[in-house]
Amino acid sequence: MDSFVREKLQEWGLMEWASAFEENYIDEESFLLLDGQTMKELIQPLGPRMKAIRKISELVSSDMDVRNILRSKQGGEDIEEEMNDGLLSHKMRIKAVRILVSHLIEEFGDRPRSHVKEALARSIVQEFPGLKGGVGNGYEAWYTPSIEKHAATGYLEERLRNVRKRSQERNPQAVKRNRTETPEAAEPPAVSLEDEDLEPAAADALTQWLRHNKEPLSLVKEYHQKTLRARLLWIRDNPKERVFEKYPRLLDTPGLMTMDFSSVQPGCGDHLFLMWTPQIARKVLQFSGRQKDWFRHLGIAEDSSKLSDNEVCNVGVQCLPCVLPLGAKKINGRNHRAPIAQALTSFVDVQPIGIDIPHYLETMRETFKAPREEAIQPLILVVGDRASPEQSFVIIDGEAVPQQSFMHAVDYCFKAFYVFNIEYPWQCSTSWQFLQCVVYGIGVSGAKLSSVAHSLEAYLKVKRPISAQK
C-alpha cells in the first residue's frame, strides 16, 4: 500500500477502510484527486466519508500557496498588492485568474475536481481576507459548486470553461461536451399563503368596502391586513388583470405596499434605509470605478467626491447595471444579452423636467396590457437630474405612483415585485437580485449571484441586521 496514503489514513483514524484504498491502487496522486463521488466506493458510512473528504480538501488547500503562485509569474507582485487592499481592478483580476487557473491546469488538468477548485478559492480568501464575502463561505466569487439545475460558477470556473472551449475549437475532433445553459433570470421567492382563516365571502365583503372607502385609516389598514391572503391569491391567479382597479387602496394609501411586503417577507422591510448608507454607496462607486466606466453610461462626472450624501446614495444604486453582468434571456433558442442602455432604462428611466406623465403612460399602454410577468414593470421613473431628481415615481400597473425620494422609489419598486408576484425584468434582473440578497437579505442561502456580485459584496462588507442573516 502507498506509504503516503497509509500515513494519512492512520493520522485521520480511517485505517478501517485501508484495504479498499489498497485494492483500488490509490497512490498519493490519485488520493489527492478523490472527491465525494469516488469516495463512496471506498468508504460507505457517511460520517467517516465526510471526514475524509474534508481532510483531503484541507490537504489540497495547504499545498496551494496563492502568494507564491502569483509571484512566480511576471506582474504577480502588482496583483498581490491589489489583492492585499481587497479591491481588484478588472484588469488585475483577469491577470490573477489566468495565473491561478494556469497553475490548476498544470497540476490537475483542465477538468480539476470540484474540491480542488473549492480548495483554491478557499485559499485565496484565507490569504487575502479583504476579498472574503459575507454570503455563504465567502469565496463564491472565485468558485461556487453546482447546485441542482445551476451550473458551477465563479472566476476560476469561467476561465477553465473558456480554456476548454478554445482547446476544442483548435481540435474539432475532440468530443463535444454538453453546453451548460445560463441560469434563468432570478425571480422573487414564492410567498406563503397559509395560516389565514377568513372565509371567502367575508374577504369579498371587506374587499368591496375597501374599494369604496379611504377612511377611517385605521379601519382601512385593519381590513387590508385581513384580506391579505385573498388579495395575494387573486393577484397570482389573475396575471392579466390590473391590480389597482380591484385594490385601489394599494395605490393611494401610503404604507400598504410595505404592509403586504412585510407580511410575506417579515423582518426586512426597512433594510434598504438601514444599510444603504453614503459610506456603502461610495464603496460601490469605488468598486465600479475599478471595473468599468460607470460614469460615462450614467452621464455623471467621474469625480464622485463632489456628490452630496443623498446624491451618492442615488448614483450608487443606479450604477449597479453598469458593473454587474447584463441580464440575459433565451430568444429563438439563443441567449440574448441586454444592451447596457436597455438594462439602465428598465431599471431607472430618466426623463426631463416638464414631461407629460399621462402621455408617458400612454406610450407604455401596450406594456401594461401584457401579463405582469412579461411586462417591463415595475420600473423607477425619475424626472430631472439622475443624481438629484425633482420627482421620483414607480411605474406599475398603468400608474405612476409618486414617491417622496429616489430611495423610497427603489424600496417601493422592490417590494412591488413580491406583492404583485412579478419576476424581475430580465434586462436588469442582476441588479434587483443583488439588492435582494445583499441588502434585503432575502434568499441568501440559495442565492446564485454572479462572480462580480460576490466580489462587490465582499468589498462592501455589508453588516445585515440579524433578521436578514438567513
Side-chain angles (χ1 to χ4, degrees):
M1 183 179 184
D2 185 273
S3 58
F4 174 84
V5 176
R6 176 181 293 277
E7 178 186 335
K8 292 303 173 185
L9 292 178
Q10 195 165 22
E11 179 184 336
W12 300 341
L14 299 172
M15 281 301 292
E16 182 179 344
W17 295 274
S19 59
F21 286 78
E22 186 173 11
E23 290 169 4
N24 285 278
Y25 302 100
I26 303 297
D27 57 12
E28 180 177 354
E29 182 180 358
S30 57
F31 184 77
L32 296 175
L33 294 174
L34 293 172
D35 60 9
Q37 188 62 36
T38 52
M39 193 67 77
K40 287 182 181 179
E41 306 297 323
L42 302 169
I43 302 177
Q44 279 73 43
L46 181 60
R49 183 167 75 244
M50 296 305 295
K51 178 181 177 181
I53 293 170
R54 180 174 61 83
K55 289 290 188 181
I56 291 175
S57 179
E58 291 173 352
L59 187 63
V60 173
S61 296
S62 66
D63 290 338
M64 292 186 179
D65 189 333
V66 177
R67 290 186 184 273
N68 279 337
I69 294 172
L70 293 173
R71 291 171 184 170
S72 67
K73 303 295 182 181
Q74 184 176 2
E77 292 184 356
D78 294 333
I79 298 171
E80 184 183 2
E81 184 177 347
E82 284 201 9
M83 293 176 80
N84 282 330
D85 294 338
L87 180 57
L88 264 176
S89 66
H90 180 71
K91 181 179 179 181
M92 286 297 189
R93 172 169 54 77
I94 289 176
K95 289 182 177 180
V97 171
R98 286 177 175 172
I99 292 173
L100 294 171
V101 169
S102 176
H103 172 80
L104 269 185
I105 293 173
E106 288 175 7
E107 296 293 325
F108 302 97
D110 65 358
R111 295 183 183 275
R113 297 284 189 176
S114 60
H115 76 278
V116 173
K117 293 177 282 190
E118 203 163 356
L120 178 56
R122 186 187 301 108
S123 296
I124 292 169
V125 298
Q126 287 176 345
E127 193 64 42
F128 302 99
L131 300 177
K132 185 174 183 178
V135 173
N137 296 306
Y139 52 74
E140 281 77 2
W142 299 91
Y143 179 70
T144 303
S146 59
I147 303 174
E148 297 178 351
K149 67 175 182 178
H150 298 295
T153 60
Y155 297 133
L156 302 177
E157 180 68 24
E158 290 158 9
R159 174 63 180 170
L160 282 164
R161 207 171 284 157
N162 288 335
V163 169
R164 291 195 296 265
K165 182 179 178 181
R166 283 200 296 271
S167 177
Q168 290 175 2
E169 288 172 350
R170 289 194 296 267
N171 181 14
Q173 302 303 318
V175 178
K176 293 184 178 180
R177 306 268 176 173
N178 291 329
R179 299 191 180 194
T180 304
E181 295 185 356
T182 302
E184 297 178 359
E187 61 180 76
V191 266
S192 172
L193 301 178
E194 301 175 354
D195 302 323
E196 180 57 61
D197 57 2
L198 190 65
E199 294 292 331
D204 288 342
L206 295 183
T207 298
Q208 287 301 315
W209 187 92
L210 285 166
R211 289 187 70 177
H212 301 289
N213 295 275
K214 297 182 180 181
E215 296 177 339
L217 183 59
S218 60
L219 205 55
V220 167
K221 290 184 175 181
E222 178 185 344
Y223 289 176
H224 186 81
Q225 182 63 36
K226 286 184 175 181
T227 55
L228 172 68
R229 181 175 185 275
R231 183 167 52 259
L232 295 180
L233 283 171
W234 184 89
I235 291 172
R236 184 193 67 185
D237 296 338
N238 296 274
K240 295 184 179 181
E241 301 295 329
R242 292 184 62 181
V243 177
F244 288 146
E245 287 186 357
K246 187 172 180 67
Y247 300 101
R249 300 294 78 79
L250 270 173
L251 173 63
D252 58 27
T253 306
L256 294 193
M257 186 70 75
T258 293
M259 182 187 295
D260 280 7
F261 174 81
S262 297
S263 296
V264 297
Q265 292 292 342
C268 58
D270 56 357
H271 283 183
L272 180 68
F273 300 101
L274 290 174
M275 298 165 57
W276 198 262
T277 63
Q279 293 75 20
I280 288 294
R282 289 190 189 281
K283 292 188 75 173
V284 170
L285 298 183
Q286 290 169 2
F287 179 90
S288 302
R290 301 293 289 272
Q291 311 301 315
K292 296 181 180 179
D293 297 335
W294 60 269
F295 48 86
R296 177 170 55 85
H297 295 294
L298 297 185
I300 290 177
E302 182 177 0
D303 184 8
S304 60
S305 63
K306 298 179 180 179
L307 296 175
S308 69
D309 285 350
N310 284 338
E311 289 173 339
V312 81
C313 284
N314 296 346
V315 175
V317 172
Q318 294 181 66
C319 81
L320 290 177
C322 300
V323 66
L324 296 174
L326 296 169
K329 181 181 182 179
K330 277 206 166 183
I331 300 177
N332 297 326
R334 299 185 64 181
N335 279 329
H336 175 74
R337 202 162 285 280
I340 192 166
Q342 191 178 24
L344 284 169
T345 55
S346 63
F347 189 50
V348 179
D349 191 10
V350 182
Q351 294 293 329
I353 295 174
I355 180 179
D356 185 342
I357 297 294
H359 178 70
Y360 176 87
L361 294 175
E362 183 72 21
T363 61
M364 301 182 73
R365 176 170 291 178
E366 291 303 316
T367 295
F368 301 132
K369 287 181 180 179
R372 284 188 295 276
E373 66 271 18
E374 297 177 11
I376 302 178
Q377 64 160 336
L379 64 87
I380 300 164
L381 169 66
V382 299
V383 177
D385 183 67
R386 185 184 289 276
S388 185
E390 293 290 324
Q391 293 175 288
S392 299
F393 301 87
V394 173
I395 306 301
I396 183 171
D397 204 36
E399 302 286 348
V401 185
Q403 303 296 316
Q404 66 185 81
S405 71
F406 173 76
M407 293 307 296
H408 281 87
V410 175
D411 188 59
Y412 185 98
C413 192
F414 177 80
K415 292 170 179 175
F417 283 112
Y418 286 81
V419 175
F420 279 54
N421 194 35
I422 306 174
E423 292 185 9
Y424 305 135
W426 65 272
Q427 298 90 336
C428 58
S429 61
T430 54
S431 298
W432 285 117
Q433 189 185 29
F434 180 84
L435 292 173
Q436 170 198 317
C437 297
V438 176
V439 177
Y440 286 91
I442 299 173
V444 174
S445 59
K448 197 68 177 179
L449 294 173
S450 67
S451 302
V452 175
H454 277 297
S455 292
L456 175 55
E457 185 274 333
Y459 181 63
L460 297 181
K461 294 291 188 294
V462 172
K463 300 297 183 183
R464 285 189 301 276
I466 293 175
S467 60
Q469 296 176 10
K470 297 178 181 178

